[in-house]
Amino acid sequence: MSKIHGKTLEELHALLVSREITVVELIEETFDRIKEVETDIDSFITLNEKKALEMAKAIDEKGVSEENILAGLPIGIKDNIVTKDLLTTAASKILYNFEPIYDATVMDKVYQSDMIPVGKLNMDEFAMGGSTENSYFKKTKNAWDQTKVPGGSSGGSAAAVASGQIPLSLGTDTGGSIRQPAAFNGIVGMKPTYGRVSRFGLIAFGSSLDQIGPLTRTVRDNALALNAISGFDEKDGTSSGKSVPDFTAGLDSGVKGMKIALPKEYLDEGVDSDIKEAVLKAADTFRKLGATVEEVSLPHSKYGVAAYYIIASSEASSNLQRYDGIRYGYRSENAATLEDVYVNSRSEGFGDEVKRRIMLGTFSLSAGYYDAFFKKAAQVRTLIREDFKKVFADYDLILGPTTPTVAFGLGEKIDDPVTMYSNDVLTIPVNLAGLPGMSLPCGFSNDLPIGLQLIGNHFDEKTIYKAAYSFEQTTDFHNKKPEIFERSK
């Protein structure tokens, strides 16, 4: 069973179907691997060992059918996705002891597929941050270099997959929080179209922006995972009723005849030269595969960061008012009055970044400033959507870098929120427009992975997967592993 952590979902499935290994053995091996690597990576907040092994035993008893590809496979869950009777903290002190009484809809789908959640993954508190340094519990490290950040807010989800602890995880993406850590860790991360995956049971940050998606080591694995978690949910008022295709169908049909747009704004002076070079080489690869790649303009993208932080913070200030020290979670002991309970519980329970965004959002929504800030940001959002709409009238996909730099050092930018926010400049427009976007590896700079971002039209994840799979099969970046991945007992 050595090196089992390096196998794809389908390879693991084949081993289970043939009974070369049992589900119990696979899950035991997964926990052994987590315990071996976790002290260096710090990607998990809570492990689910007892329940996971019980589930594994039950699946072994009924057997893994050939049709159920994900049955018995381990999966990690970002800790802002509600899990019944399993600690769900959103990496915040204010939810340090919260055990939900229900499951998120994506968890229902995980269980319907017979996947086995092995634990809850670290993140920036309430998904607010781009480095996973804002967690109350721990700081996750990059799989390639433990002195670097893993990205955020889904840093635990990305680092756990990239370090070989699990083959699959779920993250969430509000402004790039799946794609950016996927890029920093050299794996595949998909942010689906807004409404493709139910948000019921996702602890809300920015309700008009949040979306759950999978992180994996290969494109095909990612498509298999999105198949399992997508679909309409009557519990979510923003859930789409559009039918869900098989995202793995036609993966190998190639990109010949496809038209791909390369926005000039995505390669401006803020993007490192190594990243520009890698993305332009990727564009040439697509040309060699038969696609047309042409330069276009998304002129309002440069206003995306400013608009996003007003909109997202405004929605956060509304969403986070429910944490009051009364009903669940942390309650301050330093309280003589009801007002003290509210004020002190929130002051002591929220971290600095969460407080910063609550204050920014509350200010933007206040009577004297709503028109100047929130309304203006909403208008810019509409302009960004229109930019994308014009491009997609003529093109099948948009191509560009995922991030302007590779992973930066732990502690390097945590005290400079404006610089940290600007790192999301290439991912944020996708969320503002509600589009699907993926990051996959396309090169290296200073031995750290570079992410290639592919953006599709609404509900056209299939085209993204086809192009990504063609690129992956033509290149070797997905086969490169960090040193920690190769570590074995």
Side-chain angles (χ1 to χ4, degrees), residues 103-170:
D103 277 313
T105 295
V106 286
M107 293 310 301
D108 291 339
K109 290 181 175 288
V110 163
Y111 294 130
Q112 286 162 17
S113 300
D114 276 341
M115 288 185 274
I116 299 178
V118 294
K120 302 300 288 294
L121 292 156
N122 196 31
M123 54 184 283
D124 286 297
E125 183 182 6
F126 285 103
M128 297 180 192
S131 63
T132 314
E133 295 175 283
N134 293 317
S135 170
Y136 170 67
F137 298 97
K138 56 179 71 174
K139 288 178 172 61
T140 301
K141 286 85 177 178
N142 189 291
W144 290 81
D145 180 345
Q146 284 76 69
T147 68
K148 306 293 185 185
V149 302
S153 61
S154 305
S157 299
V161 171
S163 60
Q165 297 182 70
I166 46 177
L168 163 65
S169 68
L170 294 184

Side-chain angles (χ1 to χ4, degrees), residues 35-213:
K35 289 164 188 172
E36 179 187 0
V37 173
E38 177 62 8
T39 51
D40 292 318
I41 299 295
D42 283 328
S43 50
F44 283 91
I45 292 176
T46 305
L47 291 178
N48 189 36
E49 193 163 2
K50 183 182 176 184
K51 185 178 177 184
L53 288 168
E54 288 171 358
M55 291 177 65
K57 186 178 178 183
I59 294 169
D60 272 334
E61 286 172 359
K62 72 177 180 180
V64 175
S65 71
E66 200 164 336
E67 295 73 34
N68 193 0
I69 291 178
L70 300 176
L73 300 186
I75 183 173
I77 310 295
K78 188 175 178 180
D79 207 25
N80 59 346
I81 296 170
V82 167
T83 47
K84 185 179 180 183
D85 300 327
L86 180 62
L87 196 65
T88 301
T89 69
S92 179
K93 180 179 179 180
I94 211 157
L95 287 175
Y96 78 105
N97 63 353
F98 177 52
E99 290 190 359
I101 59 173
Y102 69 97
D103 277 313
T105 295
V106 286
M107 293 310 301
D108 291 339
K109 290 181 175 288
V110 163
Y111 294 130
Q112 286 162 17
S113 300
D114 276 341
M115 288 185 274
I116 299 178
V118 294
K120 302 300 288 294
L121 292 156
N122 196 31
M123 54 184 283
D124 286 297
E125 183 182 6
F126 285 103
M128 297 180 192
S131 63
T132 314
E133 295 175 283
N134 293 317
S135 170
Y136 170 67
F137 298 97
K138 56 179 71 174
K139 288 178 172 61
T140 301
K141 286 85 177 178
N142 189 291
W144 290 81
D145 180 345
Q146 284 76 69
T147 68
K148 306 293 185 185
V149 302
S153 61
S154 305
S157 299
V161 171
S163 60
Q165 297 182 70
I166 46 177
L168 163 65
S169 68
L170 294 184
T172 66
D173 194 311
T174 306
S177 293
I178 288 173
R179 289 159 290 150
Q180 186 243 34
F184 279 5
N185 285 276
I187 61 171
V188 179
M190 168 63 93
K191 179 256 170 208
T193 306
Y194 184 80
R196 174 67 87 186
V197 178
S198 173
R199 291 187 303 109
F200 179 78
L202 169 62
I203 295 175
F205 163 19
S207 301
S208 73
L209 302 156
D210 299 338
Q211 189 63 168
I212 298 169

